[in-house]
């Protein structure tokens, strides 16, 4: 062993001990004949003191930043103590040292506030990983996985590995494929998730399965997506939705306790998908703050069961064409902002007009602290009418009411974004506050206008809610009139699915699964799959359902994102040791890369030269 | 929840309780108006009693083998107790039941002694996994991973995930590759191991890393190899060989304790590679029994430091051409077998002549209990000469001496196989005895006659023994005269490498790594790699070594094999939930498979029609 102690271990109790440390040179400070070196390792930093006697040695073997040093010496009390450091009361009075390895000058500083840009740090990721901040992220990641494993183990879950070289059955996302050398012209696929395998394990009787496992999706990457990512993947048999919610509420609370020291004692709130969309415009609402959406107008057949709650009088006949023509009108009341200047409201109007939001404009009503009301639509609405609207929005004096009008889908999305933006501006989305939420009862299907058919919102193995199974079985999935797809009975079928949301991010999702062969076949056919195609792709699962499949369900957590949120970051990349960039490249390895003709020939594949 | 208890939970203490169980129907036995059903789940089997009152119900809803049943009833003491079962003192007197799912008749019986052949069980792996035996194997696997994780955690190791989509740098084995859609004509590779990444993590300062991780090798599969397999992969910084051996001796002993309840208190024996080859003909000797090999003749330049130990007189001038012509003569003394019949010795002769062993014949000497000596070479050797040989082999009266002569490589391999075979026949390789061994000081290089160059025996990152570094640096790797490659200084360079051997199986291997850029470059060049090629393939590692790489080393355990041996099986497949067959196919999924033209076009690849 090159060391007797780590650089984080020594303190005042160790004074007088002869020790050997090994680590990296963080800083070098010379004071006359004396040299101080901060030696760093994974565990901390210890100050080394090189006295006059070592000067000749230091001249012959000069040391620099990031050199790997082994130093022998005696622990001494420091005159100039640093009580912020666990080792700050001592230093090691060096008697001899060895340079274990030299270092070129790093391309950026190894510090929290490094001078290295993103690209440089990715290229030299092995140096970036030395920064305390990145180290803390990976430590947090390990702590989360350790906590999850312990909880799941204590609850009888078994870690069972599922294969990585499987069959390509693209549903939604694209598969990465792997050419098989031994089976010419054939390909394996990398799993998008172990979904079917964990269901097979339930059929096999392993009633509590888990795995922390890599998954792969060949998608066009958005800023915060990776082609390979990690899931905490779980499945249980003989359970209903409530059992799963309870079990994984326990898991997330355990993680909060173990990793953040937070006792999240409150029960996790539950909200239906309909309510989430209605009140927040979003199926993963950030519930750290209220500022709920007021629905002033919605189109027919959307939220049909709650349209009666809209006070129609508020936006009634006023001659204001924007409101009259809009399919949907939604509003929020932003507390304490009634005194916004023209400049400020103009800026907000520009904000909603950006392409990412895509609205044509923004209507505002200032409900002053004195009870007076001013608005951008004074021409069309009397103060009394404006007051009716303000009441409909449940605004209070001092609120700034923001109103968006337009298409249902875009407007709802926009009001959600606006709500989040205002929450952020008002400091209502606190980094150290964590608010969990279960979102339940998602629609089972989404309508695909291009193909005029249903697609699975979650995946084809999600069961309808028990009360909706009959609807699914007894109606044809065929949509006769595309214009009236919302009137099709499938449009209102709810999935027995659930998402766990943390601070406005989906961190996990799952469902009770279909476990009956006939219902699974009906689902495949509802998604436009022929019997032959279903058999080719999922014959093994349909087969398994013939031999005593138990009722089962599960959940998968996005491990990278969960870690990022717990670590207070927006970027999952900061929590992955060797991430890829937005083009799916590992710039450190320079991968992907060409392979040689010999490899291609062995795999019996060739590169197409033509442009796609 | 569909159940109040599992099928393994109830005992006599629960008598009188109203319970609900759910599970699979293992057996149905009718006795007049009464029906007994054994209900099975992951945790055990509980007997259900369906009384007369349920007959009508059972007629209307008949149940069969492997049906999924939910049964409500009262726990009662059994009249006919089965004390071999934890639940054998009770039964559940069923008051109502629900068939949760029916089952077709399984294609084979769900029992330890199933009637299903290998192919059928692989196709219906989800049913095979229900068998108690397979379940025990997967439970053992989970127990090993849990034990390893706990030990490594307690010793400061961090689980850090390394990427799966990396760069193809084939060295030895073939890579599986993954075409990149976004980078036309380029490919990722799946990792053969996280070797370079764990070394980068050491450079980054994460001084104790581990991962239980899938690895991929596109090799022609032997009976007991899988294209994807799992490693317990570990790396440490600031360590020498001894530190690593100590740490992982601790790991394996912990696993023995946790998983098998075995206190393996003895220190693990260490043997050099030279000694292993000399005494056992094999670099992973089974040391559960002795029966060491006697070296009667070896060629020059092989084991040159110990040729003087051979008693030349024993096989000296005798006119026996087989011995005279042989490069190598090796023998073992098989205890208690001097009375073997002609038929038995003939059978052994046939055994060594099989193509797998490939010897031309077998010489035997029977050293009778009365001290008399008979042999198959009486024509050539006097009894006195035979006694000299017997003494050289350290034979004792009642031993059967078996002598093989031929080429060094083949003969050594053959004597090793013969030793193992005789050990097996004599019952010396006991399934419940576990004997660990460290094999040290492997040769760093192997000679590749086809290319007349050196290849890395372990991998290109293995450091030479400290005492051999100068030899490597100061000599050219070029082999001027291929016939005399054994005289090249590189032929005797030893690696700072170690294998852990359990009962004659290599279960883990590793090395102290090169951590200096110049030595690593020298290694690449010694392996015939140009500077450009080394830079293209491993530039990131060479680069990392410039910025303060610490001394480091590690080990990787073959997790599948370790589990198989601990489970008393020869086949790793029995310890993998969803294994592939010997053609690399998953017969359950029917993968690999063709993918559609659309997928190929998106990836810009095509299938070559021509024959390879």
């Amino acid at each position: 062993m090159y060391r007797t102690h780590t650089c984080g271990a020594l303190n005042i109790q160790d004074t007088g001990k002869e020790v050997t440390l090994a680590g990296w040179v963080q800083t070098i400070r010379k004071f006359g004949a004396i040299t101080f070196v901060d030696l760093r390792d994974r565990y901390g930093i210890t100050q080394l003191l090189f006295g006059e006697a070592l000067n000749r040695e230091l001249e012959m073997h000069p040391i620099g930043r990031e050199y790997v040093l082994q130093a022998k010496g005696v622990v001494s009390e420091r005159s100039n103590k640093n009580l912020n450091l666990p080792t700050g009361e001592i230093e090691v009075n060096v008697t001899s040292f060895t340079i274990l390895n030299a270092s070129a000058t790093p391309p950026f500083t190894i510090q929290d506030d490094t001078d290295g840009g993103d690209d440089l740090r990715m290229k030299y990721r092995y140096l970036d990983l030395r920064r305390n901040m990145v180290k803390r992220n990976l430590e947090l990641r390990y702590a989360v996985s350790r906590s999850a494993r312990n909880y799941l183990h204590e609850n009888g879950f078994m870690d069972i590995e599922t294969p990585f070289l499987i069959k390509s059955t693209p549903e939604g996302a694209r598969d990465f494929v792997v050419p098989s050398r031994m089976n010419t012209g054939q390909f394996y696929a990398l799993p998008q998730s172990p979904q079917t395998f964990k269901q097979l394990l339930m059929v096999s009787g392993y009633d509590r399965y888990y795995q922390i496992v890599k998954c792969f999706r060949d998608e066009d990457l958005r800023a915060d997506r990776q082609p390979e990512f990690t899931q905490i993947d779980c499945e249980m048999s003989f359970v209903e939705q409530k059992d799963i919610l309870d079990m994984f509420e326990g898991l997330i609370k355990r993680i909060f306790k173990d990793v953040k020291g937070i006792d999240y004692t409150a029960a996790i709130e539950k909200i239906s998908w309909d309510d989430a969309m209605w009140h927040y415009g979003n199926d993963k609402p950030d519930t750290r703050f209220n500022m709920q959406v007021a629905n002033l107008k919605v189109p027919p057949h959307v939220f049909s069961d709650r349209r009666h709650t809209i006070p129609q009088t508020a936006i009634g006949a006023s001659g204001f064409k924007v409101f009259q023509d809009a399919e949907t009108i939604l509003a929020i009341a932003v507390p304490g902002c009634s005194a916004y200047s023209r400049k400020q409201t103009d800026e907000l109007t520009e904000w909603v007009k950006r392409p990412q939001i895509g609205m044509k404009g923004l209507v505002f009503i200032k409900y002053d602290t004195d009870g007076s009301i001013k608005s951008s639509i004074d021409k069309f609405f009397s103060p009394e009418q404006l007051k009716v609207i303000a009441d409909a929005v449940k605004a209070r004096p001092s609120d700034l009411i923001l109103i968006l009008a337009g298409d249902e889908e875009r407007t709802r999305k926009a009001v959600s974004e606006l709500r989040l933006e205002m929450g952020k501006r008002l400091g209502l989305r606190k980094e150290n506050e964590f608010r969990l939420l279960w979102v339940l009862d998602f629609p089972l299907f989404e309508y695909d206008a291009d193909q005029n058919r249903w697609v699975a919102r979650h995946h084809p193995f999600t069961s309808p809610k028990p009360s909706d199974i009959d609807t699914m079985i007894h109606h044809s999935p065929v949509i006769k009139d595309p214009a009236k797809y919302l009137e099709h009975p499938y449009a209102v079928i709810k999935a027995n699915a659930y998402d766990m949301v943390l601070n406005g991010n989906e961190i996990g999702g799952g469902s009770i699964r279909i476990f009956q062969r006939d219902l699974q076949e009906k689902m495949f056919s509802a998604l436009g799959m022929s019997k032959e195609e279903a058999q080719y792709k999922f014959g093994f699962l349909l087969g398994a359902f013939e031999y005593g499949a138990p009722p089962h369900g599960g959940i998968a957590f996005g491990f990278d994102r969960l870690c990022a949120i717990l670590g207070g970051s927006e970027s999952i990349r900061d929590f992955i040791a060797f991430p890829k960039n937005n083009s799916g490249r590992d710039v450190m390895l320079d991968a992907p890369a060409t392979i040689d003709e010999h490899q291609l020939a062995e795999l019996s594949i060739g590169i197409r030269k033509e442009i796609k």
Side-chain angles (χ1 to χ4, degrees), chain A:
Chain A
M1 196 73 86
Y2 283 78
R3 61 190 177 194
T4 57
H5 296 76
T6 71
C7 296
L10 298 170
N11 60 42
I12 197 78
Q13 313 291 337
D14 299 300
T15 308
K17 275 192 194 154
E18 189 165 285
V19 299
T20 307
L21 300 184
W24 286 262
V25 172
Q26 176 85 11
T27 56
I28 306 169
R29 299 183 309 279
K30 270 187 169 294
F31 290 99
I34 286 172
T35 305
F36 290 101
V37 166
D38 277 351
L39 197 69
R40 183 196 73 231
D41 67 9
R42 179 181 144 197
Y43 310 91
I45 285 180
T46 298
Q47 178 167 299
L48 306 179
L49 183 156
F50 292 76
E52 214 169 337
L54 286 169
N55 271 349
R56 223 179 93 81
E57 195 77 17
L58 277 174
E59 267 165 38
M60 282 170 58
H61 306 284
I63 56 178
R65 197 146 61 82
E66 299 306 316
Y67 271 49
V68 186
L69 209 65
Q70 183 186 37
K72 192 174 272 191
V74 178
V75 181
S76 329
E77 189 169 353
R78 218 151 123 175
S79 52
N80 192 5
K81 292 186 183 175
N82 177 350
L83 296 178
N84 294 322
L85 271 187
T87 60
E89 291 189 86
I90 58 96
E91 63 196 359
V92 172
N93 207 324
V94 177
T95 51
S96 68
F97 70 95
T98 309
I99 294 174
L100 296 174
N101 217 338
S103 174
T105 304
F108 50 86
T109 54
I110 311 296
Q111 287 170 339
D112 279 2
D113 53 341
T114 177
D115 56 0
D118 209 43
D119 290 348
L120 202 60
R121 286 190 290 108
M122 282 301 126
K123 179 163 180 210
Y124 295 91
R125 182 62 169 172
Y126 45 84
L127 296 180
D128 199 31
L129 286 169
R130 284 187 189 164
R131 294 195 305 128
N132 206 30
M133 198 174 176
V134 186
K135 193 191 74 181
R136 270 200 312 265
N137 291 349
L138 294 188
E139 284 174 342
L140 178 137
R141 186 179 176 107
Y142 176 46
V144 174
S145 82
R146 178 96 193 139
S147 171
R149 286 185 193 280
N150 284 341
Y151 176 84
L152 292 168
H153 178 78
E154 289 158 23
N155 283 283
F157 286 79
M158 253 176 94
D159 179 359
I160 302 177
E161 291 172 64
T162 53
F164 279 71
L165 297 173
I166 64 167
K167 187 169 175 173
S168 185
T169 56
E171 272 302 300
R174 277 186 214 87
D175 285 328
F176 281 105
V177 297
V178 181
S180 166
R181 182 177 53 85
M182 293 205 281
N183 304 271
T184 306
Q186 301 193 337
F187 292 77
Y188 300 100
L190 299 179
Q192 295 189 23
S193 86
Q195 182 63 34
T196 50
F197 294 98
K198 64 177 177 173
Q199 292 192 243
L200 290 181
L201 288 172
M202 296 304 110
V203 174
S204 301
Y206 297 79
D207 59 2
R208 293 186 173 197
Y209 144 93
Y210 90 95
Q211 202 180 180
I212 299 184
V213 63
K214 273 279 171 77
C215 302
F216 305 85
R217 265 173 224 183
D218 185 13
E219 289 303 286
D220 297 317
L221 300 170
R222 291 195 312 234
D224 204 26
R225 268 205 192 168
Q226 290 278 318
E228 50 176 309
F229 55 96
T230 305
Q231 283 187 352
I232 305 178
D233 192 53
C234 309
E235 197 80 4
M236 301 173 76
S237 291
F238 301 117
V239 290
E240 290 157 311
Q241 181 180 286
K242 183 188 181 309
D243 306 312
I244 295 198
L245 300 192
D246 288 350
M247 180 61 74
F248 294 98
E249 178 158 341
L251 171 65
I252 193 75
K253 288 179 172 177
R254 171 68 166 266
I255 290 171
F256 269 110
K257 180 70 185 161
D258 287 351
V259 177
K260 304 288 292 183
I262 292 173
D263 277 311
Y264 197 108
T265 46
I268 298 182
E269 278 183 81
K270 297 183 180 76
I271 189 172
S272 71
W273 183 86
D274 279 351
D275 278 341
M277 294 304 288
W278 185 258
H279 293 303
Y280 301 96
N282 191 316
D283 62 5
K284 44 178 201 244
D286 185 343
T287 48
R288 280 175 295 183
F289 65 108
N290 198 24
M291 210 190 286
Q292 289 193 7
V293 173
N295 288 259
L296 302 178
K297 186 178 177 186
V298 297
H301 297 295
V302 176
F303 304 108
S304 50
D305 59 333
R306 59 193 77 198
R307 288 179 57 238
H308 68 275
T309 64
I310 300 176
Q312 291 301 327
T313 50
I315 54 153
S318 66
F320 184 47
K321 211 164 156 2
V322 169
F323 279 5
Q324 277 165 9
D325 292 352
E327 194 177 49
T328 294
I329 304 174
L330 303 172
I332 51 173
V334 185
C337 293
S338 65
Y340 259 35
S341 67
R342 175 65 185 263
K343 197 178 149 200
Q344 285 176 299
T345 54
D346 280 355
E347 189 267 327
L348 279 182
T349 304
E350 289 311 310
W351 193 89
V352 303
K353 284 165 113 175
R354 294 179 319 146
Q356 301 95 306
I357 309 294
M359 298 306 293
K360 296 227 175 76
L362 177 69
V363 168
F364 56 86
I365 300 174
K366 294 174 174 174
Y367 191 176
D368 268 349
T369 39
D370 64 7
S372 71
I373 290 184
K374 267 167 284 173
S375 84
S376 58
I377 45 172
D378 284 352
K379 269 198 276 188
F380 304 99
F381 292 89
S382 67
E384 292 70 32
Q385 284 175 310
L386 291 174
K387 181 69 171 58
V388 173
I389 295 178
D391 287 347
V393 183
K394 299 200 175 87
R396 282 176 303 186
S398 89
D399 284 3
L400 172 68
I401 300 163
L402 301 174
I403 307 176
L404 293 167
D407 295 349
E408 163 65 22
E409 196 177 330
R410 177 176 303 179
T411 309
R412 200 161 288 276
K413 189 162 181 303
V415 81
S416 164
E417 293 294 329
L418 184 60
R419 173 180 174 272
L420 291 173
E421 176 67 17
M422 296 315 294
K424 193 168 118 191
R425 292 186 185 193
L426 297 183
L428 303 173
R429 304 174 67 185
K430 298 191 191 85
E431 205 186 286
N432 288 323
E433 188 183 345
F434 295 97
R435 195 65 77 91
L436 291 158
L437 182 72
W438 283 112
V439 180
L440 309 175
D441 305 346
F442 285 76
L444 184 63
F445 296 107
E446 273 174 350
Y447 179 64
D448 181 332
D450 292 343
Q451 306 181 68
N452 186 41
R453 68 165 177 93
W454 302 106
V455 293
R457 194 187 169 87
H458 193 52
H459 57 51
F461 313 106
T462 298
S463 175
K465 296 282 285 184
S467 53
D468 288 343
I469 290 179
D470 278 350
T471 307
M472 187 164 146
I473 288 179
H474 297 122
H475 290 89
S476 158
V478 175
I479 303 147
K480 285 184 184 143
D481 181 356
K484 293 188 178 168
Y485 79 89
L486 279 172
E487 295 173 44
H488 191 285
Y490 277 32
V492 294
I493 294 180
K494 297 295 185 195
N496 205 339
Y498 30 81
D499 275 2
M500 190 186 279
V501 172
L502 173 57
N503 291 0
N505 300 278
E506 182 208 324
I507 55 166
S511 62
I512 298 295
R513 322 300 183 186
I514 296 170
F515 69 105
Q516 310 91 334
R517 178 169 178 139
D518 51 353
L519 188 58
Q520 188 64 66
E521 284 181 328
K522 179 82 187 178
M523 173 58 95
F524 287 143
S525 99
L527 302 174
M529 223 184 271
S530 71
K531 254 192 146 61
E532 293 68 36
E533 191 185 351
Q535 187 59 36
Y536 176 77
K537 286 183 170 172
F538 300 110
F540 61 96
L541 189 69
L542 293 171
F545 284 178
E546 280 190 22
Y547 294 101
H552 62 284
I555 195 167
F557 290 86
F559 183 50
D560 307 296
R561 182 159 319 279
L562 175 58
C563 293
I565 299 169
L566 291 173
S569 168
E570 304 244 311
S571 163
I572 63 171
R573 263 206 263 170
D574 296 342
F575 291 79
I576 296 172
F578 298 100
K580 293 184 175 53
N581 73 7
N582 289 344
S583 316
R585 294 198 69 81
D586 184 320
V587 293
M588 180 188 71
L589 299 179
D590 196 19
T594 53
I595 58 176
D596 64 33
E597 167 56 26
H598 176 68
Q599 279 179 286
L600 290 171
E602 278 200 315
L603 297 170
S604 302
I605 59 172
I607 310 293
R608 298 186 188 193
K609 300 286 180 236
E610 72 266 39
I611 307 297
K612 275 189 283 188

